[in-house]
Amino acid sequence: MGNKTGEQPDLIVVLGPTASGKSALGITLAQRFAGEIVSADSRQVYRGLDIGTAKVTPVEQALIPHHLLDIVEPLEIYGVAQFQQDAVAAIDMIIQGGRLPLLVGGSYHYIQTVINHFDIPAVPPQLELRARLEALPLPQLLAQLEELDPQSMKTIDQQNPRRVIRALEVCLVTGQPFSQQRGISHPLYRCLLLGIQWPRPFLYQRIDSRIDERMQAGLVEEVQTLLERGISHERLDALGLEYRFVSRWLRGEYPSEAEMVQRLKYASHDFTRRQLSWFRREPRIVWLDGEVDLVAHATQAVQNFLQPTPTHP
């Protein structure tokens, strides 16, 4: 993989905002460089969350081996600590098989735990405490986190109740701020981070088109199936914007499907802005223009990265 014996193994990371084309680029690069893909998506780990998460299709999965898709049920709690453990195990297995691992996704917090090898607080889910926190409105949760751990408030996704509740959970169980318990160990891999960027208006058009496609593909029916399987509306709220908005529409919170879809699009634009702000904090990302020879530029970047380091006599 371009390394000398004893050096860190190579890892290619393909990231970017919603609807930027990460999955397609990851598959193309994996085909060109004898690779396998590890999904870095906090929702694609769940079985039955296919349309709403834009999970790669069975046909796409047949092209290249994919790891960490469909590994838990939606009722289960699957957090970042478990993801880190599973992702490192999958990456190491791919390396041992002589293949190139590609970590592909848009869940930046999940990606960080792998590329930076964070030490994550080993606090198992506290179901009773979590249930009490989930019953509180988000502004109250944020106020509590601001009091207990103001540093986390600067970096956490304040629109994501699941992230806020987890940070509070760790604070309350350990008696220490969550932000002070997450250290960085020695990185396990030599990483190339490739980010896909588009002009903002065009990216919003891509997001809107994808939402329309998901609705036509049966997103509402997917949510109804999840409800029939015993997934509560409260749990759907925590599984991402698509499930949250469709669930609330089914509960009568919006006067029409059209208004629900429009509100979902606006919320997705807002989420994308937050994604981009997170990504901009990472100086190692090599940004690729989605409009100009994306595959060619990505291929060249990977080739340059994988070239063996010249040895000097």
Side-chain angles (χ1 to χ4, degrees):
M1 298 300 173
N3 283 336
K4 294 175 289 186
T5 302
E7 289 189 352
Q8 294 167 315
D10 297 324
L11 173 65
I12 308 299
V13 181
V14 179
L15 54 81
T18 300
S20 57
K22 301 178 294 291
S23 298
L25 180 60
I27 289 171
T28 298
L29 292 176
Q31 290 175 317
R32 295 190 175 189
F33 293 98
E36 298 184 17
I37 291 173
V38 178
S39 171
D41 189 290
S42 62
R43 301 182 302 154
Q44 292 186 5
V45 296
Y46 293 109
R47 302 183 190 103
L49 273 64
D50 302 326
I51 298 172
T53 66
K55 193 177 294 176
V56 289
T57 66
V59 172
E60 291 171 318
Q61 292 183 47
L63 296 174
I64 289 294
H66 283 69
H67 303 264
L68 304 195
L69 297 177
D70 300 322
I71 58 174
V72 292
E73 293 296 330
L75 283 172
E76 299 178 56
I77 302 298
Y78 185 90
V80 67
Q82 186 63 52
F83 169 80
Q84 183 191 50
Q85 178 180 325
D86 292 345
V88 168
I91 290 167
D92 289 349
M93 182 178 67
I94 293 167
I95 293 168
Q96 290 166 10
R99 308 271 288 177
L100 177 67
L102 292 94
L103 186 66
V104 179
S107 297
Y108 185 49
H109 186 44
Y110 278 39
I111 292 170
Q112 278 187 310
T113 65
V114 175
I115 64 175
N116 294 329
H117 197 212
F118 282 143
D119 287 326
I120 300 173
V123 177
Q126 309 292 309
L127 298 183
E128 290 186 9
L129 172 60
R130 187 169 291 187
R132 292 200 301 272
L133 293 173
E134 287 175 346
L136 299 176
L138 182 57
Q140 188 172 339
L141 294 172
L142 290 170
Q144 191 171 357
L145 184 61
E146 175 71 42
E147 181 180 348
L148 294 174
D149 188 0
Q151 186 60 38
S152 282
M153 279 290 288
K154 297 177 181 178
T155 58
I156 203 165
D157 177 4
Q158 297 183 17
Q159 302 299 315
N160 189 327
R162 190 157 49 97
R163 295 269 191 269
V164 176
I165 287 171
R166 176 56 180 168
L168 278 172
E169 186 178 47
V170 173
C171 290
L172 293 169
V173 170
T174 65
Q176 297 178 339
F178 178 63
S179 58
Q180 294 180 12
Q181 299 183 58
R182 192 181 69 175
I184 298 178
S185 299
H186 184 67
L188 299 176
Y189 312 109
R190 190 177 75 103
C191 299
L192 171 64
L193 278 60
L194 298 176
I196 306 173
Q197 62 182 357
W198 298 86
R200 193 70 62 90
F202 191 56
L203 179 60
Y204 291 163
Q205 291 177 14
R206 289 173 62 91
I207 291 170
D208 292 350
S209 295
R210 171 175 280 189
I211 289 173
D212 291 336
E213 291 167 2
R214 290 177 179 179
M215 292 297 295
Q216 294 168 8
L219 177 58
V220 173
E221 290 78 7
E222 181 170 272
V223 173
Q224 289 172 327
T225 298
L226 291 168
L227 289 167
E228 291 168 1
R229 289 172 52 190
I231 311 302
S232 68
H233 285 288
E234 290 73 22
R235 178 62 177 149
L236 288 170
D237 271 356
L239 290 174
L241 292 174
E242 296 82 1
Y243 299 99
R244 185 181 309 159
F245 275 78
V246 172
S247 167
R248 291 178 179 179
W249 174 61
L250 292 174
R251 283 179 278 175
E253 291 194 21
Y254 304 111
S256 67
E257 179 180 304
E259 178 167 335
M260 179 272 291
V261 169
Q262 191 58 55
R263 287 175 178 259
L264 172 57
K265 290 176 179 178
Y266 290 149
S268 298
H269 297 175
D270 184 54
F271 175 70
T272 297
R273 286 191 290 271
R274 296 199 304 277
Q275 276 186 305
L276 290 169
S277 71
W278 303 331
F279 292 142
R280 294 300 180 192
R281 298 172 188 163
E282 176 51 75
R284 292 173 291 177
I285 298 175
V286 177
W287 287 103
L288 305 171
D289 190 336
E291 293 186 296
V292 182
D293 298 327
L294 173 62
V295 171
H297 289 162
T299 299
Q300 187 62 57
V302 175
Q303 287 175 339
N304 294 341
F305 176 74
L306 296 178
Q307 286 178 350
T309 304
T311 56
H312 300 285

